[in-house]
Amino acid sequence: MTSISDFDAPKPPPWMGALVPFLIVLAAAGFYWFLTSDKEKSPIDLDSSQEVKLSGKLSNGQTYYIFASEIEVYPTNLENEAWDRGEKGPDIRYRILWKGNAVFESVTKGDSLIADWSGLSIELNWKDLLGKSVSPDDVIKAGRVRFDENETIEIVVQDVDIASDDDVGRKEILLNGLSIGKNVIRLKKSPANAIRRITLRILPIGSNLQDLANIMK
Amino acid sequence: MNITRFFIALAALLLGIGLIAPTLTISPMAGELTWLVRILAPEELVPSTYSILGVIGKLYQGNDFFLVLLLSLFSVLSPILKLSFFWQASSQSYQQENSNSLFKVIHYVGKFSMAEVFALALIIVVVKSFPGGSSAQLEWGAYIFTCSVACSIIASIRIEKKDRNKALQ
């Protein structure tokens, strides 16, 4: 009968000791994870389940919000005269026409050669502060258009006056050439056009609000 | 167990917990539109708490592979490797057999003593520079992690001291 003493027992290789800290780290992490995994709430999934493209060209059949975030006009009107009497600037308003129908009309921005719109607007009442929920559609101030190949929209810009509204210009835009996000269109002065620049913003409908907010910035 | 090994084991224990425990709470903001998002979709602004491994996982999901590599290296692999070397160096028999080469490695690895803290600082800097006024707050896991670093520093000092004493003899 043979007995193996400590002296005779095979010695583990010297590097085996180096595994001890690794095993302690693993055991501590595993133990902590085991203790807390049930208690952890599942984090809110910020990624929407809907797969909506947030950049690049427009997709066929997809519906988009479209609005002009900025419109700049030339310093003189179509007749090369001052916009309003005196030194006042034009009161700019625009409409978006799609398939011959006005799908959106902006509020009027007074006395400005460069007018801007945020695309977001909300009117809050006292009762809203008590937890009323507001739908994104209620606050997004933009037209809705569906993209199809060779589809166009028309932007009609006017100088709003008390007596009658004067045309500033209109521009037909092919949707194929537009991208999601910011699109800048520059125009030359002509007898039919006094718009210098239109900045259009296009946002996909169906994306989550944070994405929309980021595109609008 | 000698005192040096106790500190190494403690550092490893704290490191294990520190990697999984809540380390960072990120409070997202949407810049000028925060007020609006708060009304429309308040769930988008709920603060999220991450562990160090959670941050690495989140960065991986975002395809930030460089940061994943950097953080994995400095906050996971380097500390474990360092503690393994320390454990080996604190072994009496190993000190006698391989003293020169191992202590050279220990000196080299010791330079990374604060690398974990740097990694943690890096996470905060990255988050602090998020757009829209998002903010980051340290959680208790970060302090556990820092204690782990402190324990490993103590262990490295003790090993170096032993090495120096041995050289003088």
Side-chain angles (χ1 to χ4, degrees):
Chain A
M1 192 174 172
T2 57
S3 64
I4 298 172
S5 65
D6 286 349
F7 187 76
D8 297 327
K11 276 186 180 176
W15 55 265
M16 283 288 276
L19 287 179
V20 174
F22 174 72
L23 292 175
I24 295 173
V25 170
L26 210 63
F31 185 65
Y32 180 80
W33 179 79
F34 176 74
L35 285 180
T36 56
S37 59
D38 291 342
K39 293 176 193 168
E40 274 177 14
K41 289 181 206 160
S42 61
I44 294 164
D45 187 10
L46 291 180
D47 302 325
S48 170
S49 55
Q50 293 163 297
E51 285 293 323
V52 179
K53 244 175 75 176
L54 296 170
S55 59
K57 293 286 175 192
L58 311 188
S59 309
N60 247 337
Q62 165 83 37
T63 316
Y64 294 91
Y65 290 116
I66 185 161
F67 73 97
S69 61
E70 207 168 83
I71 291 180
E72 184 179 354
V73 299
Y74 283 97
T76 54
N77 65 14
L78 298 178
E79 287 89 36
N80 284 325
E81 292 168 354
W83 282 105
D84 279 348
R85 286 176 191 170
E87 291 177 341
K88 283 191 167 183
D91 303 322
I92 301 172
R93 179 180 70 193
Y94 75 92
R95 280 184 296 148
I96 299 174
L97 272 59
W98 179 48
K99 296 181 187 289
N101 298 286
V103 292
F104 178 70
E105 184 172 289
S106 73
V107 294
T108 304
K109 293 282 176 167
D111 294 335
S112 49
L113 289 177
I114 301 174
D116 66 318
W117 295 268
S118 79
L120 287 170
S121 171
I122 187 164
E123 287 169 15
L124 283 176
N125 297 316
W126 284 108
K127 63 180 180 183
D128 297 331
L129 300 175
L130 298 172
K132 182 194 169 197
S133 65
V134 187
S135 148
D137 284 349
D138 295 338
V139 291
I140 294 173
K141 301 300 177 196
R144 282 168 165 240
V145 296
R146 191 185 61 252
F147 174 71
D148 288 311
E149 284 294 322
N150 301 319
E151 192 71 71
T152 59
I153 54 162
E154 194 174 14
I155 306 287
V156 180
V157 183
Q158 289 182 310
D159 171 20
V160 180
D161 280 332
I162 298 166
S164 65
D165 300 339
D166 301 323
D167 272 353
V168 176
R170 49 177 64 214
K171 172 71 181 167
E172 194 172 47
I173 300 161
L174 190 65
L175 290 178
N176 288 33
L178 299 178
S179 309
I180 295 166
K182 188 178 174 185
N183 297 268
V184 180
I185 298 149
R186 292 174 200 285
L187 304 165
K188 284 187 177 165
K189 180 87 189 281
S190 73
N193 177 58
I195 308 167
R196 184 193 285 267
R197 179 172 52 90
I198 301 171
T199 304
L200 277 182
R201 301 254 178 188
I202 298 181
L203 322 165
I205 289 176
S207 54
N208 68 42
L209 200 80
Q210 196 156 9
D211 291 332
L212 290 180
N214 282 330
I215 295 172
M216 283 196 192
K217 274 188 225 171
Chain B
M1 186 190 278
N2 63 37
I3 295 171
T4 308
R5 282 202 160 178
F6 168 76
F7 277 111
I8 298 167
L10 189 63
L13 187 81
L14 294 174
L15 178 65
I17 297 170
L19 288 174
I20 303 281
T23 303
L24 206 63
T25 294
I26 297 170
S27 306
M29 294 286 163
E32 291 171 2
L33 298 169
T34 301
W35 64 274
L36 182 67
V37 178
R38 196 165 279 148
I39 294 167
L40 295 173
E43 70 277 4
E44 304 279 3
L45 298 179
V46 171
S48 311
T49 301
Y50 299 100
S51 61
I52 291 176
L53 290 183
V55 170
I56 293 171
K58 199 77 187 167
L59 288 169
Y60 181 79
Q61 282 172 10
N63 296 332
D64 283 322
F65 298 120
F66 176 72
L67 278 178
V68 168
L69 190 75
L70 203 69
L71 288 178
S72 304
L73 198 69
F74 284 128
S75 57
V76 184
L77 294 178
S78 154
I80 294 175
L81 201 69
K82 190 172 68 181
L83 292 176
S84 296
F85 276 121
F86 286 173
W87 187 272
Q88 205 62 347
S90 64
S91 146
Q92 291 291 341
S93 58
Y94 205 83
Q95 275 181 29
Q96 285 158 8
E97 291 163 20
N98 306 276
S99 56
N100 281 338
S101 59
L102 189 67
F103 282 117
K104 268 180 199 165
V105 176
I106 292 291
H107 277 294
Y108 184 73
V109 173
K111 291 190 197 313
F112 290 94
S113 287
M114 292 302 282
E116 301 94 317
V117 178
F118 158 75
L120 207 61
L122 188 76
I123 297 171
I124 294 164
V125 168
V126 167
V127 175
K128 287 278 184 198
S129 60
F130 273 178
S134 298
S135 61
Q137 203 181 335
L138 284 182
E139 295 292 335
W140 63 271
Y143 301 109
I144 293 282
F145 194 80
T146 311
C147 286
S148 163
V149 176
C151 286
S152 78
I153 289 172
I154 293 170
S156 82
I157 290 168
R158 289 185 62 85
I159 291 168
E160 274 190 51
K161 208 172 168 184
K162 204 178 262 182
D163 178 36
R164 219 176 297 133
N165 289 344
K166 211 177 128 192
L168 288 173
Q169 281 169 6

